[in-house]
Amino acid sequence: MPEQIIKRKSRGFICINAHPEGCRQNVTRQIEAITSAPGGRRAGMRNVLVIGASTGYGLASRIAATWGFGARTLGVFFERPADGVKTASAGYYNTAAFHEFARRDGLFAASMNVDAFSDAAKAQAIEIIRKEMSRIDLVIYSLASPKRVHPRTGQVFNSTLKPVGKPFTNKTIDLDVGKVMPVTLEPASEQEVADTVAVMGGEDWEMWIDALLGAGLLAQGARTIAYSYIGPEVTWPIYRDGTIGQAKKDVDAAAHRIDAKLKAKLGGGAHVSVNKAVVTQASSAIPVVPLYLSLLPMALKSRGLDEGTIEQMRRLFFDYLSDGAKISTDEAGRIRMDDREMRADVQTDITRVWPEVTTENLRQLTAYEDFQCEFRSLFGFELEGVDYDAPVETDVQI
Ligand code: NAD
């Protein structure tokens, strides 16, 4: 395709295209956040597998492992390449930029654009690790998916974001029109709960670890981490106690099983890391959460505590996963990267303002405009330093 000028296209709030230069800039900024940290390159991981590696927490993890540790990474994701005049998805451009910079810096990277839930993905990863890498010492599981085709039965499961047991009424931002609206969400059926657990629960994580263990491709002391969220009470009916929360409880249970296997076989371990709420494609889709995400950064920034996705992963990788670092956990064995978000003073600020927010004062009382801008920046738009009037090549290769 000849180069084209790419302007943001949206369906309601969602961006349906992406800007390759903007995505490249996002990756550059994340690499800088890692390489500019004092202390230089760490030791602690050499070969890293990231499942869900193209956006959000998975991409930030991959960048932290690559530029923070010099690790060789295999990234697994499900993204759309460019098709004629249609741009590729943001995660595709992010990964193309990731490879460009890894090549520049002499760092090995391999990527698989496949359905991570399939047996074929596991077989292909095993092949790549066997031929091009060494035994894996860290597996990051960072998938966020609306659906899963079960590899053994072929059954298709769709995940839902609903409360469980009783309806939930609160306020949310209707992102399509930027209005604060009351919202009532009807409870999920038992089937919907089970289906969400099948998609976002721990079964696939365990299948990955079993496949790698079976192939003898996990290193002595190998560790694996899956990401989770708990959040404050205001979001519990839709998150912690909702369908997605049931899936996350299943991930906790899988962590205990995987931990026992890795301890016994390799002296390694499995953990769930509870990360802070950040703006990603996955989190913005959860009702009520965008309003919370418009208030949280204000409460954190006023105390000098705010972290974006890459800053969270820098702290996780440097403070918990470097050689000599100790993984401290809560009583349930989870790493708590949400410690700053969950501070009582931070949450008190949010609960104080929450009832007062209306459509009229949304832009004064909350950082909604920053939230909007951050969401668009996930697709490479509204970034400083990118010339959006210049034509760009959209059909890039990974
Ligand atoms: P995201 O939407 O930015 O990333 C999801 C990743 O999964 C992408 O790389 C995508 O390509 C990949 N993916 C989706 N379906 C796939 C499939 N079938 N096969 C292969 N790859 C697939 O999401 P995120 O917000 O970074 O979430 C990642 C994890 O972090 C989730 O477990 C989420 O619950 C957790 N988490 C997120 C937040 C938050 O605020 N965003 C907070 C805490 C924990």
Side-chain angles (χ1 to χ4, degrees):
M1 276 299 295
E3 295 190 341
Q4 353 164 22
I5 295 171
I6 305 296
K7 298 283 174 190
R8 178 170 62 83
K9 276 198 207 129
S10 299
R11 190 173 304 125
F13 182 70
I14 297 296
C15 299
I16 53 172
N17 62 348
H19 198 285
E21 261 314 299
C23 292
R24 189 168 175 275
Q25 173 119 328
N26 279 332
V27 172
T28 305
R29 199 195 70 72
Q30 294 200 42
I31 294 171
E32 276 165 12
I34 297 299
T35 53
S36 65
R41 216 164 250 181
R42 270 69 170 172
M45 59 191 76
R46 291 202 176 88
N47 291 276
V48 175
L49 169 63
V50 181
I51 302 157
S54 53
T55 54
Y57 274 126
L59 173 65
S61 303
R62 189 176 197 191
I63 290 173
T66 305
W67 279 274
F69 293 77
R72 299 156 69 79
T73 63
L74 172 58
V76 182
F77 49 82
F78 210 27
E79 298 292 348
R80 191 190 66 234
D83 180 11
V85 289
K86 278 199 194 142
T87 73
S89 57
Y92 196 93
Y93 289 138
N94 290 340
T95 306
F98 174 92
H99 275 267
E100 177 197 332
F101 297 129
R103 259 194 313 275
R104 175 196 69 191
D105 295 343
L107 295 156
F108 173 91
S111 288
M112 293 166 39
N113 191 9
V114 291
D115 177 10
F117 295 124
S118 66
D119 284 342
K122 283 134 189 133
Q124 195 186 335
I126 284 170
E127 180 98 357
I128 293 174
I129 296 164
R130 205 170 259 149
K131 288 199 178 133
E132 300 180 51
M133 299 172 78
S134 297
R135 288 199 177 93
I136 298 291
D137 30 39
L138 177 67
V139 179
I140 295 292
Y141 192 83
S142 186
L143 280 194
S145 175
K147 91 173 210 204
R148 173 176 177 219
V149 181
H150 197 280
R152 309 287 146 83
T153 62
Q155 201 177 336
V156 180
F157 299 102
N158 291 296
S159 70
T160 44
L161 292 161
K162 290 189 178 180
V164 173
K166 50 180 193 293
F168 169 51
T169 300
N170 206 310
K171 60 167 92 165
T172 191
I173 306 175
D174 180 337
L175 296 171
D176 290 351
V177 289
K179 287 190 174 160
V180 179
M181 312 274 224
V183 61
T184 295
L185 300 156
E186 292 304 321
S189 65
E190 270 177 36
Q191 192 58 51
E192 286 173 319
V193 175
D195 288 359
T196 306
V197 171
V199 180
M200 287 297 287
E203 187 188 26
D204 182 60
W205 181 26
E206 196 169 4
M207 283 178 164
W208 270 99
I209 301 301
D210 286 345
L212 294 165
L213 267 176
L217 289 177
L218 291 180
Q220 203 57 36
R223 292 179 292 193
T224 183
I225 300 180
Y227 297 145
S228 188
Y229 183 65
I230 295 176
E233 241 174 288
V234 65
T235 63
W236 282 0
I238 185 67
Y239 202 96
R240 195 196 77 162
D241 300 335
T243 46
I244 181 71
Q246 306 313 304
K248 293 299 188 188
K249 284 187 192 113
D250 191 63
V251 173
D252 287 337
H256 292 299
R257 290 192 303 272
I258 298 170
D259 190 57
K261 286 183 210 176
L262 291 181
K263 266 207 182 85
K265 296 196 169 137
L266 300 165
H271 287 283
V272 163
S273 174
V274 181
N275 298 342
K276 85 175 265 267
V278 289
V279 180
T280 66
Q281 296 182 50
S283 64
S284 306
I286 307 172
V288 182
V289 169
L291 178 53
Y292 178 70
L293 283 169
S294 301
L295 288 167
L296 177 65
M298 293 175 90
L300 288 169
K301 274 183 192 146
S302 66
R303 294 174 173 81
L305 295 174
D306 198 31
E307 292 173 302
T309 313
I310 191 66
E311 289 78 17
Q312 271 268 294
M313 292 300 97
R314 181 175 66 196
R315 188 152 67 92
L316 173 66
F317 276 66
F318 286 10
D319 295 1
Y320 291 76
L321 303 175
S322 300
D323 269 354
K326 198 180 148 312
I327 294 192
S328 53
T329 65
D330 65 11
E331 66 299 335
R334 295 172 299 215
I335 299 170
R336 297 302 297 262
M337 299 307 298
D338 64 342
D339 49 349
R340 299 177 184 180
E341 169 180 358
M342 298 309 288
R343 266 173 51 156
D345 55 343
V346 169
Q347 288 302 325
T348 304
D349 272 14
I350 297 171
T351 35
R352 196 161 26 86
V353 182
W354 190 277
E356 290 168 25
V357 181
T358 61
T359 302
E360 289 67 39
N361 63 25
L362 178 65
R363 286 162 182 82
Q364 287 77 51
L365 291 189
T366 80
Y368 177 61
E369 272 163 16
D370 292 348
F371 166 80
Q372 257 183 326
C373 182
E374 211 176 322
F375 184 78
R376 290 170 183 160
S377 78
L378 297 176
F379 301 85
F381 296 107
E382 298 188 9
L383 285 149
E384 262 177 52
V386 175
D387 180 357
Y388 291 102
D389 294 321
V392 281
E393 177 57 74
T394 53
D395 190 7
V396 303
Q397 301 302 315
I398 289 179

